[in-house]
Amino acid sequence: MKENGETTATLVFAVNGERFELSSVDPSTTVLEFLRAQTPFKSVKLGCGEGGCGACLVLISKYNHVLDQVEDFTASSCLTLLCSIHGCSITTSEGLGNSKDGFHPIQERIAGFHATQCGFCTPGMCVSLFGTLVNAEKTNRPKPPPGFSKATAAEAERAICGNLCRCTGYRPLSDACKSFGADVDLEDLGLNSFWRKGESDDVKRSRLPKYDDQHKKTKFLEFLKEINPDVFTASGKHSWLSPTSLKELQGLLETNNNAGTKIKIVVSNTGMGYYKDVESYDKYINLKGISELSEIKKDETGIEIGTTVTIFKVIEALKPKSGCEFLSDFDMILEKIANHMSKVASGFIRNTASIGGNLVMAQKYHFPSDIATILLAVDTMVHIMNGTNFEWLTMQEFLERPPLCLESVLLRIKIPSWESNKSDPENRKRKILFETFRAAPRPLGNALAYINGALLVEVSQGKDTKGTLIDNCRLSFGAYGTKHAIRATKVEELLVGKLLSVGVMHEAINMLPAIIVPEEGTSRIAYRLSLAAGFLFKFLSPLIDHCDQNLNNYSNTSTSSSFFRALGIEENIGQVHHDKGSTFLSSGKQDIQVDDEYQPIGEPIKKAGAVIQASGEAVYVDDIPSPTNTLHGAYIYSTKPLARVKSIKLQKLDGVRAIISSKDIPDGGENVGSVSTFGVDPLFADEIARCIGDHIAFVVADTQKLADVAANSAIVEYDCENLEKPILSVEEAVQRSSLFQVPPTYQPQEVGDITKGMAEADHKILFVEIKIVSQYFFYMETQAALAVPDEDNSLTVYTSNQGPESAHTTIARCLNIPENNVRAITRRAGGGFGGKFTKANPVATSCALAAHKLRCPVRTYMNRKTDMITAGGRHPMKITYNVGFKSNGKITALELEILIDAGIYEDVSIVMPNYVIGALKKYDWGVLSFDVKLCKTNLPSRTSMRAPGNLQGSYIAEAIIEHVASTLSIDVDSVRSINLHTYQSLCTFYPSSAGQPTEYTLVSIWDKLAISARYDQRREMVEDFNRNNIWKKRGISRVPVVFEVTMSQSPARTSILKDGSVVVEVGGIEIGQGLWTKAKQMAAYALSLIQCDGSQDLLDKVRVIQSDTLSMIQGGTTYGSTTSESSCEAVRLSCNVLVERLKPFKEKLQKDMGSVDWNTLISQAHLQSVNLSATSFYNPNSATSTYLNYGVAVGEVEVDLLTGETTIMQTDIIYDCGKSLNPAVDLGQIEGAFVQGLGFFMFEEYEINHEGLVLVDGTWNYKIPTLDTITKQFNVEILNSGHHKYRVLSSKASGEPPLLLAAVVHCATRAAIKEARRQLASWSNSDELDKPFQLDAPATMPVVKELCGLDIVERYLKWKMGKI
């Protein structure tokens, strides 16, 4: 290929304004791999490798020679091939702003709105928002007010809709984004560091970091405009070819096919995110250089779209022109196709993914495409090139053909024009109606649909009778577990020519089960079928007089009104174009109380390091530059639950250096992967692998990519002969007495006599079972470590770890070296949630073992799939309970059998019984008896996950309360209220942590929230809503939390340097919870007690540094919500020592000089050789070691009965933080914990197969909450509950307890389902549906829909026919 007459063999592009020229490129290299390995820019993070999280986003700027303009779009660098960015400019978050050149307002506002915690996802958020702002500036909208963008607040908020965050709960991120909107109401923005509550809008505007469209620090470099970006060609062992014509493409395909060359045709490579194609190809053929494949043409016959056109550009082309009030039928169809496409994938994928690529995946690999389904319904044609032949096919013919061979290339599609404004020979007015549907775990994309549909009818008035006649019909369904989308032709044939009636609709819906037939192995078959029935019902019912009123409160109901208006009144009017303003995805109010007693303690100081997290300059383990000769490791793990490992064979790959296993452990060393106070777990399976995910070996190679490929392609030979059958359930474990023993010190205590308690009961519920599944941590940064050999047989290991001290000990024991030869360093972790403690230790130890053996640095960054399969996650449980209670709902006795699945190794599971029962004690059960068994199974060992055991215990408690209320047919809130603890019962259930009577704030919070959240009024409004709506039901609930925490010991060192700056070291690890921020505040406060000039402004002088296990020993583990408090108290103690040392010098200097400032005092102290470094060790006593946290939440939801989708309308929380050390940090912890709890209760399905293999192994099938699924209105009040003399400056924990409050959404959903079942029972005159039911967690759409009635549409129609 030629460019300006010259061969283009050098890849030329720019990154953050810096020119790069590469003469040798492996075509399989992604932009992310290049940026992280060959540039200093590390803000692009590898979160998933699938384009599903947004952590790796970059802005790509590309010059369009035809339009003479630069196009800017965000893209996933983990999928974008480096060769595809020839002539482009890449901007990362460092390129937007940084500590050297100044930060971008996006970065400053994200920091100022307290919108970062672990910070790993934050650079991607910044790039997402920046892409939206940049493109908004190109519009012809009015100039915005100074400091704001042309983007609307809603557009700015939705910019991050495809980005995942596990820490913040999204609400502060939403506010930071909305602050750029030209139409933003500043009053609606939440807590931030720019202004105080009550200040005027003018003051607020003046304090926001100013934004203007010139803030892009790296401009598009002029030399790039001289480069044709789509004609780069690279040759070598693997080549990249860029044909510029179809003829050239034909020649390449023919030549290389005859030569047996392995070829991959690429446009944007986004399909790699789904199919994980790791094959090595000889040639990559890029279609983007063929101009005719990127064209869009529209005329009176329809619209033609080239195969390489991105989905984003297709959407833009299909949208109606602005200012058009009325649309033709065809434009209406195109608009609805565009609206549907905007819910496919996420914005940064739509920016690059091509429409042709999507359709080819659907045809060739049976990808569950939305686009194929909606195009099928409008008679779309496709143009195919087969070798030298060309042909047009219908979409149906295209999908039904055998998979396309390499020579077959999809060139373009054509959507034919649809118009029916003409009258037929009988002078009947006709109209086309068209709707698309999808039911998916996330409403705004980034999730595959359970099923999708596109329904089109051409209707007219009946000739001799009132009614709607169907003249033409297209009904398509897809993504329900079939090879491709299909037309429901038999239903179409039934409907055409019929006057639509309830009976006809009932008949049509009854035909669907014979048509919507998923393939064997498809999950949720009945649910998917019920969705199809719901789609058809929702589409047709507005056309029937008897049903029209019943779709009230549904969106997309303009179908009937516009149809009847157009049909009955105005002959030639088009479809009314409703350009509805987008509503916000999340809003909220925050009520905090700032306490100035211990300034700057108690102030909402922004998080330390927040702005460098936003710029991407904060360093995580995988960001540390690789030392010379560094190798990379990846695990080979067992795929059998119990098997003898006979051999391991690796594919021959250049660059694979070693396989490390237990055989490589040095003499005297131990096969230990994690050593902690709770137990010892092995590093590798010796001869027998004891669960799927058990580490067998560690492959070491030149690159992480190569190590992953080698490990993934390893062939392990297993032998199960003479081995027992694996234990794969808790029932089997009990039957075979496979149990871990819980030491007496970890055994919870029963309360009262169960016989007496049951005897007092008026009613009993006996032998009810509950099953609780696991949950995955989904920290954004997966497990990571780097081990560097040093002199004298020593090692430095950088580990993303909540307990580096434990990793330190484990490595020393494994290698049989003294502990003083090991240094474990953790600066920060990109999320932990308990998964970076025991599970991080074997990762660090594997790298250390490999480095020790190979005498070179070894690092690993675990891929998401391996992490998910081996992580273990939250403990599953099976619970059987008996409960006795009075007629008024007061419970007298609760008896439980709890079987906890601990997995194969002990890990930290011995603490679980205490934690489960501790959370259960939130209510006064009268008597509490239990038998808790810790089951050893051949499943991955479970570990602590945020609120371990407590979350499960709270879920059990609420399920029992709900069951009692349902059995008695009384209000569940009254049952909760009557079973709240008095102070006396609290002391009985929590004898060591109840505290003083004034500390028990739960009852007052319970009542206070009822007033502030207008609970009683909203209950009446919910009841009214449910009376007036058939297809949507609401529920509201209120739940409490009582959470017992234990303070941990903690060391600290504070050192004052000559210039007066302060360095603080703590044992706790910064994992996003704001520990460093609180430690800074504590040091500033404690040192200010010296009371010299300037000592009140020490905050900016304090720096907290990374954890180093040789510098700060006995650091312990960061867990249990209290490490921040413990670390702060240790800092205070060390500062107290320094203040005492400085006092004599201050007094002397004051006597000599009259007044002394801080810098002078410190300078003089240094001259006098005062020891200005002090170490302390905080060790809580019996009075300070445990205490209780209290909180209450009200939640309101709305359930769609046709799909099972639950919308969280509002959440109100009051949480007792004591005297918060930092209300902004604690607010973030409360909101983030609550949203993570939503994941457990509502969204995160943790599926395993019959052998225990985790089936959810990435972002495609594991759905954590996103901005479009969290609560719409999120109100949080942090209660300042006064002085607690045994707490650290009267503060209380906030990291874990609020997570339990997410149960309120689950309970509200149950209430909505109850209303749906009551309605369903009324249609069939049955009381069966009015009986108690169990709502599993997570209460996903299929779970909710099943309880609301999978056949609800059919029952309704049958009932309706009986009434007509």
Side-chain angles (χ1 to χ4, degrees), residues 425-497:
E426 299 181 356
N427 201 31
R428 291 180 304 166
K429 299 168 186 173
R430 291 187 174 185
K431 197 66 186 168
I432 289 176
L433 304 175
F434 176 68
E435 291 288 352
T436 68
F437 300 89
R438 80 189 306 265
R442 293 174 180 154
L444 293 184
N446 207 14
L448 294 177
Y450 294 109
I451 187 172
N452 50 46
L455 313 179
L456 180 150
V457 292
E458 191 173 3
V459 295
S460 60
Q461 286 180 318
K463 182 180 178 183
D464 301 319
T465 181
K466 185 180 179 183
T468 303
L469 181 67
I470 296 182
D471 298 305
N472 198 357
C473 188
R474 300 284 190 279
L475 310 175
S476 66
F477 297 94
Y480 56 83
T482 182
K483 288 183 178 178
H484 56 76
I486 58 104
R487 285 262 303 275
T489 51
K490 290 186 177 179
V491 180
E492 294 172 2
E493 291 166 1
L494 169 74
L495 293 174
V496 171

Side-chain angles (χ1 to χ4, degrees), residues 1296-1317:
E1296 292 177 299
L1299 188 139
L1300 277 59
L1301 290 173
V1304 74
V1305 172
H1306 193 262
C1307 294
T1309 303
R1310 185 195 297 265
I1313 294 171
K1314 189 173 182 180
E1315 288 301 309
R1317 290 167 68 87

Side-chain angles (χ1 to χ4, degrees), residues 1263-1320:
K1263 298 300 181 185
I1264 69 171
T1266 46
L1267 182 56
D1268 56 335
T1269 58
I1270 64 169
T1271 182
K1272 303 304 175 190
Q1273 180 69 29
F1274 201 174
N1275 305 320
V1276 179
E1277 178 183 348
I1278 296 180
L1279 181 73
N1280 186 329
S1281 60
H1283 186 71
H1284 301 273
K1285 65 179 181 178
Y1286 295 121
R1287 307 284 73 79
V1288 176
L1289 299 188
S1290 301
S1291 67
K1292 300 180 78 172
S1294 62
E1296 292 177 299
L1299 188 139
L1300 277 59
L1301 290 173
V1304 74
V1305 172
H1306 193 262
C1307 294
T1309 303
R1310 185 195 297 265
I1313 294 171
K1314 189 173 182 180
E1315 288 301 309
R1317 290 167 68 87
R1318 184 175 292 142
Q1319 173 181 267
L1320 191 58

